[in-house]
Amino acid sequence: MNPVKFYLVTDTHYFEPSLGASGKAFEDYMKKEQFFMLESSDIVKATFEKIAADDTVDLVLIPGDLSKNGEYESHKSFVKELNRLKEAGKKVFVLTAGHDYGEKSRAFVNDERIEVDGTPFKELREIYADFGYSQALAVDEATLSYISEIAPGVRLLAVNCDSEGNPKGKVDERLEGWIKIQLDEAKKDGCSVVAMCHYPMIPSVPVFDLVGDAKLKDWRRTASFLADNGVELILTGHMHIQSINEYVSENNNKIFDICTACLVGSPAKYRKIIIDGDALNVESINVPDFGVDTKGLTLQEHFDNQFAYSIRNRILDALNGGKGAAKALKGFGKKVLSDITLGGLGRILWIRVDDSIKKTKFIDFAGNLGVAIFKGDMPYSTDTPEGKAIAKVLKRFRFIIKKVEPKLSKNGVKVDLADMLLNTIYNNKGFSDNNAKLKLK
Ligand SMILES: [Fe+2]
Ligand SMILES: [Fe+2]
């Protein structure tokens, strides 16, 4: 069989700029936004142009959150960009997700946030007819999941876990039943199946297992179900993070989950993937120059700056509000948190912090750590100053952690919080989250 090659782009969050994205309300909104909303259309255009120019790959897969927030005009403009890919000879398969429909569509005009026309879920099938649905072998009308042939002997199972037809972020029993029929059919026809789903199936980093919306609900069940029915690869998005994870079912069947970042915000990457026999080759590519003035920064630094800025603002904003003494206490906490260095924090906790990071402000460290986690390939083993400091903090709070852990454990799966956190800041999986050569069965 010929190698299967495709581009994987996700969470394009395309916003039609003529709807309006300026003024005071917009600036306030951007204080807590990871990605570039106004520039999203330019980023998509520049990326698609690069993809269109690559004659060696004719497939593009996009697993959801196509628009910023379901604005009808954003979908219309995004389809024009997809049509350009089509004209360049690419076959494009999309999934829609929670940010593609509903009544939360907004723009920013004259210093205010205004409502704009959204998109009903039911209309998405028609809007994206040429990018999955019209070519499909079968469509699950309730969720707009579908299965389609993407190469000779290879089918794409597009599982819509974020629709009006199922509980959010879950492959329920009804949808699982529909999938089983498609997988049996594929097996009967001698076809292999690659899956695509908006939510990460496997938590991207270990602590995401504790975050409700960060992965599929009951993910071990779905992972085992897919792996035991012959699916070895699932392509996901939603968490705006670069990660590759593997899961082995009780029947010893393995499945990889390749979760890709948001295209229009840090780390601003997309992927080129080649399946050649049992070799799965994953390459991550930076978003190309899209004509923005980065004021002397590299393009990556420009993206990272916005993300770190939004994380710092979110942390400090958590200390806003309250009344009377509580307000004063929160205000004091906010001041301390804005100014304190890691060395200062270490002194309070009776922890020695390495000289190389002692003068770093805690708030900058937290912002940069957040940005780094979403890039994948976290480097902080307990041999690094950062890893050492975090391990010491965890040790200092061991007493509290041991009390909390039983409350976090679910379905008989025990939680080791310290282990989870240390493996979140250090990738010891044996393969990269970004550029990996993996082995299928
Ligand atoms: Fe998203
Ligand atoms: Fe999402």
Side-chain angles (χ1 to χ4, degrees), residues 206-223:
V207 286
F208 282 7
D209 207 357
L210 304 176
V211 182
D213 200 47
K215 75 288 167 190
L216 283 179
K217 290 191 178 68
D218 217 353
W219 67 268
R220 289 179 182 85
R221 175 194 161 106
T222 304

Side-chain angles (χ1 to χ4, degrees), residues 422-438:
L422 291 174
N423 284 315
T424 294
I425 59 162
Y426 180 51
N427 174 4
N428 68 354
K429 290 177 288 194
F431 49 81
S432 159
D433 289 307
N434 283 284
N435 300 299
K437 288 187 194 309
L438 305 165

Side-chain angles (χ1 to χ4, degrees), residues 11 13 65 97-99 162 198-199 238 240:
D11 293 74
H13 286 288
D65 278 355
H99 282 278
D162 200 1
H198 182 60
Y199 274 57
H238 178 61
H240 299 188

Side-chain angles (χ1 to χ4, degrees), residues 26-255:
F26 179 64
E27 277 165 31
D28 284 345
Y29 171 77
M30 285 304 291
K31 282 181 186 163
K32 290 195 211 167
E33 184 51 273
Q34 171 190 9
F35 56 78
F36 289 119
M37 175 172 159
L38 178 61
E39 296 84 350
S40 59
S41 57
D42 287 339
I43 299 169
V44 167
K45 283 184 184 114
T47 306
F48 283 8
E49 229 165 79
K50 265 202 99 180
I51 290 175
D54 182 353
D55 290 337
T56 67
V57 178
D58 69 352
L59 257 178
V60 183
L61 310 183
I62 314 180
D65 278 355
L66 309 173
S67 72
K68 168 69 182 74
N69 250 343
E71 313 78 35
Y72 185 70
E73 292 301 321
S74 298
H75 281 302
K76 256 174 61 185
S77 301
F78 187 64
V79 165
K80 280 187 197 153
E81 300 308 322
L82 295 180
N83 274 321
R84 286 207 183 108
L85 282 177
K86 203 172 142 197
E87 282 154 21
K90 311 298 177 203
K91 290 178 280 178
V92 184
F93 295 87
V94 308
L95 256 179
T96 61
H99 282 278
D100 293 319
Y101 64 92
E103 290 159 2
K104 52 199 175 298
S105 308
R106 305 273 187 278
F108 297 88
V109 176
N110 293 337
D111 294 333
E112 276 174 37
R113 197 151 121 147
I114 57 157
E115 274 184 38
V116 297
D117 285 344
T119 310
F121 176 69
K122 294 277 180 273
E123 283 184 27
L124 293 170
R125 192 196 208 278
E126 189 52 37
I127 294 171
Y128 292 100
D130 289 346
F131 306 102
Y133 297 103
S134 60
Q135 308 96 314
L137 299 166
V139 177
D140 174 50
E141 296 295 342
T143 59
L144 297 187
S145 301
Y146 63 89
I147 187 158
S148 192
E149 184 167 278
I150 52 168
V154 184
R155 289 180 189 176
L156 175 72
L157 173 72
V159 179
N160 195 337
C161 69
D162 200 1
S163 79
E164 274 183 1
N166 61 313
K168 200 171 172 58
K170 185 173 165 79
V171 176
D172 62 7
E173 274 180 48
R174 192 205 59 82
L175 182 55
E176 196 178 285
W178 179 84
I179 294 170
K180 179 80 170 85
I181 294 168
Q182 311 316 319
L183 293 177
D184 287 348
E185 194 84 5
K187 198 172 173 188
K188 196 179 86 210
D189 296 343
C191 293
S192 62
V193 176
V194 170
M196 169 164 99
C197 177
H198 182 60
Y199 274 57
M201 185 179 68
I202 306 171
S204 293
V205 287
V207 286
F208 282 7
D209 207 357
L210 304 176
V211 182
D213 200 47
K215 75 288 167 190
L216 283 179
K217 290 191 178 68
D218 217 353
W219 67 268
R220 289 179 182 85
R221 175 194 161 106
T222 304
S224 298
F225 162 70
L226 290 176
D228 291 345
N229 280 285
V231 180
E232 295 181 83
L233 173 62
I234 186 161
L235 312 162
T236 63
H238 178 61
M239 282 308 287
H240 299 188
I241 186 170
Q242 290 286 101
S243 71
I244 302 179
N245 285 290
E246 62 181 349
Y247 180 78
V248 181
S249 74
E250 275 178 23
N251 297 327
N252 212 22
N253 294 308
K254 187 161 72 178
I255 182 164

